[in-house]
Amino acid sequence: MTKNLSTIAPLVFAPESGAGSTGKSPLQERILKLKKEKNAVILVHNYQDGVIQEVADYVGDSLGLSYQASKTDAEVICFCGVHFMAETAKIINPGKRVILPDPEAGCSLSDSCPAEKLAAYKAKHPDIVVVAYINCSAEVKALSDVICTSGNAVDIVKRIPEDKEILFVPDQNLGQWVAHQTGRKMKLWPGNCYAHILFSTEAIERIRLQYPGAPVVAHPECVDSVRRMADLVCSTEKMVTFCRDHESDAFIIVTETGMLHRLRRDIPGKTFIAGPTENCACNECRFMKMNTLEKLERCLDTLEPEIVLDPETVAAARLPIQRMLEWSR
Ligand code: 13P
Ligand code: SF4
């Protein structure tokens, strides 16, 4: 049953008074020690819990994390994010050991495009150019012409010659937004992110009335009606620069709630309000939240669970990823 929204207190990250604690917990200290011993790098997505972000070598969006994975010297990449992100790191670094604290950390969006279905579609449309959002499996990447992230999707699509027909997989919401931005007609795979489609215009309107004047910043995985309410639609990384440079000192952030930790860390003087859904003041991705500090410690200790991919898939999936990295330099 839908809760009465007026009874839900908003989730607000206000500027902290005083210096705030910079110390690490004993568990975080053990993780940092293990990281050194194992010559590992800890790459962390913006949606991870704040306590995990605090032990990261790098916190960022899918694009930034892919670049970090492509240039690390570490022997082990410990990826705190979801499965497709760790797979991407493995595809870029087939010779390195890539580990993920919880191998069950999947993604509804990735699941919405099974490789067999895409292969069947391509067999019927052999000339179509497949642009795949990075939120897809290694097998789907292997069937694609170029990969994109929410941070570079518009630029990637602009690079495809006008006379080519495009199939955008697997996120129909991001695809629709890119089509609007570029004026390019594209076939859209009917997939979505279960978490981002929970944001509704009613819930966003209500929080906007509570914080008039606070710009609304939304991720492109939100539905069109919600994106239209936003002052800016962008990737998680762009949210940081937008909020830092904007004159406002409060923002409504319409994406997964882990993002608020990153924003507060980088912009400590401003206030961030979580975009609510019909039922909750926040919106956590259940897959992203499967990783915990305890699992991270175990995974650095045992170097398991490891991402293992077959070499043919890796070779085929690397080309469209490299194309993306080159096209968005
Ligand atoms: P970003 O690439 O913007 O970090 O988004 C990743 C993601 O999974 C969004 O749900
Ligand atoms: Fe996938 Fe959505 Fe979670 Fe991102 S927020 S990892 S798209 S389920």
Side-chain angles (χ1 to χ4, degrees):
M1 200 176 68
T2 302
K3 285 185 196 163
N4 179 353
L5 277 173
S6 57
T7 63
I8 302 174
L11 178 69
V12 181
F13 280 27
E16 284 174 33
S17 53
S21 162
T22 52
K24 299 270 185 286
S25 71
L27 180 53
Q28 288 174 317
E29 293 292 0
R30 286 202 297 278
I31 287 169
L32 293 175
K33 188 165 170 276
L34 276 169
K35 186 191 76 154
K36 260 198 198 149
E37 285 168 15
K38 308 283 177 166
N39 188 13
V41 65
I42 302 181
L43 302 183
V44 175
H45 188 265
N46 286 322
Y47 293 164
Q48 293 288 285
D49 267 336
V51 286
I52 296 183
Q53 295 191 21
E54 284 165 14
V55 295
D57 290 290
Y58 177 84
V59 185
D61 68 353
S62 307
L63 182 60
L65 290 164
S66 302
Y67 274 117
Q68 291 297 320
S70 73
K71 60 183 201 202
T72 183
D73 292 331
E75 281 170 58
V76 176
I77 299 176
C78 180
F79 209 109
C80 298
V82 290
H83 198 267
F84 75 81
M85 296 178 173
E87 275 188 347
T88 307
K90 180 69 185 175
I91 295 164
I92 297 172
N93 294 282
K96 290 191 196 290
R97 194 172 183 101
V98 178
I99 52 177
L100 174 69
D102 189 328
E104 299 299 316
C107 169
S108 69
L109 187 47
S110 177
D111 291 347
S112 63
C113 184
E116 317 78 71
K117 282 200 179 165
L118 178 58
Y121 187 95
K122 279 188 61 171
K124 284 194 192 143
H125 305 84
D127 296 328
I128 206 152
V129 173
V130 179
V131 178
Y133 184 31
I134 200 162
N135 296 35
C136 62
S137 67
E139 291 74 18
V140 165
K141 288 185 176 78
L143 291 167
S144 303
D145 294 286
V146 62
I147 306 301
C148 70
T149 71
S150 57
N152 62 16
V154 168
D155 293 333
I156 296 286
V157 166
K158 281 184 183 163
R159 306 266 308 229
I160 314 283
E162 289 289 338
D163 59 335
K164 296 279 182 196
E165 196 179 15
I166 300 176
L167 170 67
F168 190 93
V169 304
D171 189 9
Q172 59 187 350
N173 291 308
L174 173 67
Q176 184 190 42
W177 178 70
V178 173
H180 288 161
Q181 299 297 304
T182 57
R184 189 76 191 257
K185 279 206 178 80
M186 301 191 291
K187 294 249 185 315
L188 305 179
W189 193 268
N192 57 51
C193 160
Y194 91 93
H196 281 86
I197 62 168
L198 291 178
F199 292 115
S200 67
T201 48
E202 292 78 11
I204 303 304
E205 185 52 27
R206 185 173 287 266
I207 198 84
R208 216 161 52 167
L209 289 170
Q210 281 179 268
Y211 294 91
V216 175
V217 186
H219 197 275
E221 288 172 19
C222 297
V223 297
D224 185 46
S225 54
V226 167
R227 292 196 308 264
R228 284 175 194 274
M229 298 177 80
D231 295 271
L232 184 73
V233 175
C234 63
S235 73
T236 56
E237 201 58 32
K238 183 83 198 294
M239 290 180 184
V240 180
T241 43
F242 175 78
C243 296
R244 184 187 288 130
D245 298 344
H246 199 284
E247 61 193 12
S248 177
D249 53 17
F251 300 85
I252 297 166
I253 304 298
V254 187
T255 192
E256 211 272 355
T257 313
M259 190 62 213
L260 273 75
H261 291 280
R262 170 72 200 284
L263 287 162
R264 180 159 69 170
R265 186 199 74 180
D266 282 26
I267 317 167
K270 295 195 178 188
T271 296
F272 301 101
I273 304 121
T277 64
E278 294 295 327
N279 288 310
C280 188
C282 64
N283 191 358
E284 296 205 321
C285 167
R286 63 171 177 267
F287 303 109
M288 284 280 178
K289 288 334 195 233
M290 284 180 178
N291 295 322
T292 61
L293 277 183
E294 288 75 14
K295 290 179 195 171
L296 172 54
E297 183 193 26
R298 203 177 318 132
C299 140
L300 277 170
D301 189 23
T302 60
L303 298 184
E304 298 279 355
E306 186 192 2
I307 300 289
V308 181
L309 295 170
D310 87 80
E312 272 178 35
T313 307
V314 169
R318 196 155 58 233
L319 289 171
I321 296 176
Q322 273 170 345
R323 196 167 281 148
M324 168 187 83
L325 294 175
E326 279 158 25
W327 285 9
S328 45
R329 255 182 230 288

